[in-house]
Amino acid sequence: MSKQNKYLGYVAGLLGGSMIVWIVVQVLIIKTVVFLHVLFFTIGAIQGLISLFFLYKEGLFPWNLIKGKKV
């Protein structure tokens, strides 16, 4: 991964997590669940998993702590 993409995993994780929080709050406020809530929650979860993949690939936090590797 190039220098310009150093924070790609963190940004993707932040955006995916934000989408999940947004959908959960929206469902709690309107007290109903429709297909689009499920769809966008799933997209946010997949984005979060992809961000973990990028972080794992680069050995960045939290994977550096698990592997015992310092960044």
Side-chain angles (χ1 to χ4, degrees):
M1 195 176 303
S2 67
K3 288 284 185 189
Q4 67 186 17
N5 294 328
K6 181 178 178 184
Y7 300 106
L8 176 67
Y10 297 118
V11 172
L14 180 66
L15 293 175
S18 299
M19 184 180 294
I20 290 172
V21 169
W22 178 271
I23 295 300
V24 168
V25 168
Q26 190 176 35
V27 166
L28 291 174
I29 289 173
I30 65 173
K31 295 184 170 106
T32 186
V33 177
V34 295
F35 172 72
L36 285 177
H37 291 133
V38 176
L39 177 66
F40 284 109
F41 184 90
T42 304
I43 290 170
I46 290 170
Q47 189 171 351
L49 292 173
I50 290 171
S51 73
L52 286 176
F53 168 75
F54 283 124
L55 293 174
Y56 178 78
K57 183 177 166 186
E58 292 298 314
L60 298 172
F61 180 81
W63 302 108
N64 64 331
L65 297 177
I66 296 169
K67 292 179 178 179
K69 183 172 128 180
K70 294 192 181 199
V71 176

